[in-house]
Amino acid sequence: MDLSLLYASVQWLAGFITFVTIWGWLPLDNWWVRGVEFPRIQIMVLGVIAWIGMLAFWSEWQLGQWLLFAALSITLAFQLRMVLPYTKLWKKEVQQAKDLLEGQAHELKIMVSNVLTPNDDTHKLIDLVKHRQPDILITLESDQKWEKALNQIETDYPYTVKVPLDNLYGMHLYSKLELIDPEVKYLMIDDIPSIHTQLRLQGGRVIWLYCLHPMPPSPTEADKSTTRDAELLTVGKHIKENEQTAILAGDLNDVAWSKTTRRFQRISGLLDPRIGRHFINTFHVDYPFLRWALDHIFHSACFTVVDIQRMPSVGSDHFPVMTTLQYEPEETSQQEQNAPKAEAEDIKETDKKIEEGKQEGEKVSQEHAEERRSVC
């Protein structure tokens, strides 16, 4: 390749990475803005390539190239700050579980799997569940077909909540542990459910479990992230105000480093077991370079982490993920110090976002109802 063309290509890439990063700072909920929060790892990798490429031509720099390199360096530092906490270079937000004697360790295994409604390989998930034996199985995008297929695991999972839907937002919860007063709620949009229940742990302690799958901002689904953001913040605010010991899990259609998910952590006080460990990139199965973490679990400070793993593919566009927690209430006070703290601005923005989400949710609910009527 001609060196002048290579130099021009490197500058173009540097400018593009800088532009995309700055674009993501716009205070808008539109999908074409919020979408750039997802591929931060990919943006950072391409930015490093551009950064090294520009250094290779540093002897030819003029004022414009110096300014471009400075802007690229700032945007790379920002992207690195967003990504670095999800590596072993960062301090762990959740401690590793202690090795306790058998009978003393109260472990909780939770598997989250977005099954992809058209996926017919139901046996793959069933075989995985039988092999790994989670205490809790949460399925997303599960319809009547999936509910029928999963009937064969119910001998091991006597407690269930079933919300079969054919709109890509069906949801099922299977539990070996007692569920107390489970409810299906539609927080923002009339046909997008979430499951709210109390859960009795092995030692008798009762906690809350929230299963969520909000609508993502995308050109094919929601024009804005408003309802997704509001649903997550509504649950986070509820957990904090009611001083609940809680676990929240599901396909949040958001990444851990987004401004909404980080604000959710500050508002709720829940911890992220991935911080200080590693990425759990669950989507998309078919495109290794274009993967990010959409399936999450957050929990109160009384839990430590035994293990968190991405599971083998079950034929969906998402990998399942299984997290094993250990109930260690004696670690609560120490781990609470690791929880990000909410500031006055977070509370103000949360209340504003929830109100906007309710208004947007009414609009989207009406649109969905009109679409159903037109089909009928």
Side-chain angles (χ1 to χ4, degrees):
M1 179 183 289
D2 182 80
L3 287 180
S4 61
L5 180 59
L6 179 60
Y7 187 27
S9 299
V10 166
Q11 291 182 78
W12 181 91
L13 180 59
F16 175 74
I17 294 301
T18 301
F19 172 79
V20 166
T21 301
I22 295 173
W23 183 260
W25 293 341
L26 294 175
L28 299 174
D29 286 351
N30 303 79
W31 68 265
W32 36 268
V33 174
R34 300 301 299 278
V36 302
E37 292 182 321
F38 289 78
R40 292 206 186 281
I41 299 173
Q42 292 81 1
I43 290 171
M44 188 179 70
V45 170
L46 293 175
V48 169
I49 293 172
W51 194 85
I52 294 172
M54 287 203 68
L55 281 180
F57 292 95
W58 72 270
S59 61
E60 301 182 30
W61 288 3
Q62 297 180 5
L63 177 60
Q65 284 73 34
W66 279 104
L67 293 174
L68 177 59
F69 185 77
L72 176 64
S73 298
I74 292 170
T75 58
L76 271 181
F78 170 77
Q79 298 291 1
L80 184 63
R81 174 60 184 84
M82 293 294 101
V83 170
L84 198 60
Y86 303 91
T87 71
K88 293 183 179 181
L89 298 176
W90 208 260
K91 178 186 175 182
K92 290 183 176 66
E93 194 164 276
V94 181
Q95 299 177 34
Q96 194 66 30
K98 296 176 182 176
D99 291 327
L100 301 177
L101 297 174
E102 187 174 350
Q104 294 181 337
H106 295 155
E107 292 187 358
L108 178 62
K109 297 180 181 180
I110 302 176
M111 183 182 291
V112 176
S113 181
N114 182 319
V115 299
L116 184 64
T117 301
N119 174 22
D120 292 326
D121 294 331
T122 55
H123 66 280
K124 290 184 178 180
L125 178 61
I126 292 167
D127 291 345
L128 182 63
V129 169
K130 289 181 177 178
H131 175 62
R132 300 306 298 259
Q133 288 292 311
D135 300 302
I136 302 288
L137 171 66
I138 302 167
T139 66
L140 297 317
E141 290 199 29
S142 39
D143 57 3
Q144 289 284 2
K145 173 191 68 181
W146 276 93
E147 181 175 309
K148 182 178 179 181
L150 290 167
N151 283 343
Q152 61 184 286
I153 71 169
E154 289 192 30
T155 53
D156 294 325
Y157 294 86
Y159 303 97
T160 62
V161 181
K162 302 175 182 179
V163 195
L165 296 173
D166 58 6
N167 64 351
L168 304 181
Y169 291 96
M171 179 181 294
H172 288 70
L173 171 61
Y174 298 87
S175 176
K176 293 182 178 181
L177 304 175
E178 180 186 1
L179 302 178
I180 303 171
D181 299 328
E183 289 185 80
V184 177
K185 296 187 177 183
Y186 298 83
L187 295 176
M188 295 295 151
I189 301 175
D190 290 348
D191 55 358
I192 297 185
S194 58
I195 297 173
H196 306 225
T197 183
Q198 294 182 80
L199 175 70
R200 193 181 304 279
L201 301 179
Q202 294 172 352
R205 178 75 161 89
V206 175
I207 68 167
W208 282 88
L209 174 65
Y210 296 92
C211 309
L212 271 62
H213 185 204
M215 180 180 287
S218 79
T220 58
E221 296 194 57
D223 291 336
K224 298 181 179 180
S225 67
T226 310
T227 58
R228 180 202 66 184
D229 300 345
E231 182 169 333
L232 185 58
L233 293 172
T234 295
V235 176
K237 181 181 178 182
H238 179 79
I239 290 170
K240 188 67 172 182
E241 289 181 346
N242 292 276
E243 299 181 344
Q244 294 177 345
T245 299
I247 294 172
L248 183 144
D251 173 4
L252 301 184
N253 278 313
D254 199 7
V255 283
W257 46 68
S258 78
K259 63 181 181 181
T260 296
T261 303
R262 289 182 291 124
R263 177 167 287 144
F264 159 78
Q265 273 203 270
R266 296 193 296 271
I267 287 293
S268 67
L270 300 188
L271 305 179
D272 185 342
R274 295 164 298 186
I275 292 180
R277 288 184 168 84
H278 50 82
F279 302 110
I280 307 290
N281 292 335
T282 55
F283 175 90
H284 192 287
V285 168
D286 296 332
Y287 308 108
F289 183 69
L290 295 176
R291 280 184 190 160
W292 39 76
L294 293 187
D295 302 275
H296 306 259
I297 184 168
F298 300 94
H299 58 79
S300 292
C302 57
F303 292 99
T304 56
V305 174
V306 177
D307 190 34
I308 179 167
Q309 296 183 46
R310 191 176 70 189
M311 297 285 99
S313 172
V314 294
S316 172
D317 51 356
H318 288 243
F319 291 99
V321 60
M322 188 159 83
T323 307
T324 305
L325 304 176
Q326 185 162 283
Y327 182 59
E328 295 187 48
E330 65 275 12
E331 302 297 333
T332 300
S333 59
Q334 181 176 346
Q335 292 203 141
E336 282 178 338
Q337 299 175 23
N338 298 334
K341 304 297 187 293
E343 299 178 356
E345 182 68 17
D346 289 312
I347 297 171
K348 178 181 177 181
E349 285 298 314
T350 293
D351 292 339
K352 176 184 176 184
K353 185 65 66 177
I354 291 172
E355 185 58 35
E356 291 175 350
K358 290 178 179 178
Q359 295 175 9
E360 183 71 15
E362 290 178 1
K363 174 185 172 184
V364 174
S365 296
Q366 185 176 356
E367 291 173 353
H368 288 186
E370 291 173 355
E371 289 173 4
R372 288 193 297 270
R373 284 194 295 268
S374 65
V375 170
C376 295

